[in-house]
Amino acid sequence: TQQKHGKELADFLKLDYEYYLDKGISGTSIDKRDEMIRLLEDIKKGKISAFYAYDQDRVERDTSFWLEFCSIIIANNVRYFENTREIDLTEPSNAMSTTMKSAFSAYYAAQTSKAVKNSIKRNAERGKVRGILPYGYTKDEEGFVIKHEEQAKIVAKIYDWSLSGLGTYTISNILNNDGVPTTFNEFEGVIKRKADKYTEEREFKKSEVRWRGNVIYDMIKNESYKGIKRVGNIIVSIPAIVSEEKWDKAVSNLEKNKKNVFLISFVDLFIFEIFQILKENKK
């Protein structure tokens, strides 16, 4: 709706337009709002002559940032539109009313955040955990963490395989070859991932996400599987899938398995080279 209204205004003003979207990020902080930072830079570069927001709280919920935003808008002669009307931020009465609105938004955001944190703390103390659970767990009808029986069996196998000396990438290949579904396979849509910091972000269908070595590595080191779930500074007891002793052994064994993977890879490469030489000699 916000994008639709912004486009309609741009068409009415006979202006080209561009969307700056910080999806799912709170307006209480500028630090993680990459698109807002890009917007401010484009204003300073003179690329923008008019700005539209559905409501002021879509711009910010932090009064100090609002004052900085207004100074940048005014300094660069950018017209400010909120919903269906233009607001002259140089007008003292508008400056006062928008600053008061910002203060109320910041207060509301702070109160909401406090209430949410208290709720999370109370639930955690009772054994309820919000958000996505690790592979191997689900919730009962009352919201308490329980084992996902089928997934828990896979988790137990992963620890056994790791303790037998298999590396995390070998384990991921076994799971992929056996067609074991990942957590993402249950959902629709896409996820965005980078192979590393040097490559571009790519989209993958959730239904096609496969097991990877680094995922197995993180799973083995996850304290949840020995029955510990941390929520802030609160430790919640949840059903353990492996004993604490097995968890400790598997974690300490990870580095050793890394060396095994390197050795196996080296042997495989050596055998491949011999095979190539024999092939050439046969010719």
Side-chain angles (χ1 to χ4, degrees), residues 19-83:
Y19 297 125
Y20 294 81
L21 308 173
D22 281 316
K23 292 183 179 179
I25 300 175
S26 171
T28 56
S29 172
I30 187 65
D31 297 340
K32 296 180 181 178
R33 299 179 68 190
D34 294 339
E35 287 292 273
M36 176 57 78
I37 293 169
R38 185 170 73 90
L39 167 68
L40 296 178
E41 290 300 317
D42 285 349
I43 290 174
K44 292 173 184 177
K45 292 174 184 176
K47 291 174 63 176
I48 295 173
S49 61
F51 171 85
Y52 163 86
Y54 185 76
D55 191 86
Q56 185 178 323
D57 65 11
R58 301 299 85 197
V59 180
E60 54 75 40
R61 288 188 175 186
D62 176 89
T63 307
S64 61
F65 174 70
W66 174 249
L67 295 174
E68 181 185 354
F69 177 81
C70 289
S71 68
I72 293 171
I73 288 281
I74 293 168
N76 291 275
N77 298 312
V78 174
R79 299 169 70 185
Y80 175 78
F81 291 86
E82 187 179 311
N83 206 348

Side-chain angles (χ1 to χ4, degrees), residues 190-201:
V190 298
I191 58 170
K192 294 181 179 180
R193 277 181 178 166
K194 280 187 172 184
D196 52 54
K197 64 181 179 180
Y198 304 106
T199 56
E200 292 185 5
E201 198 171 59

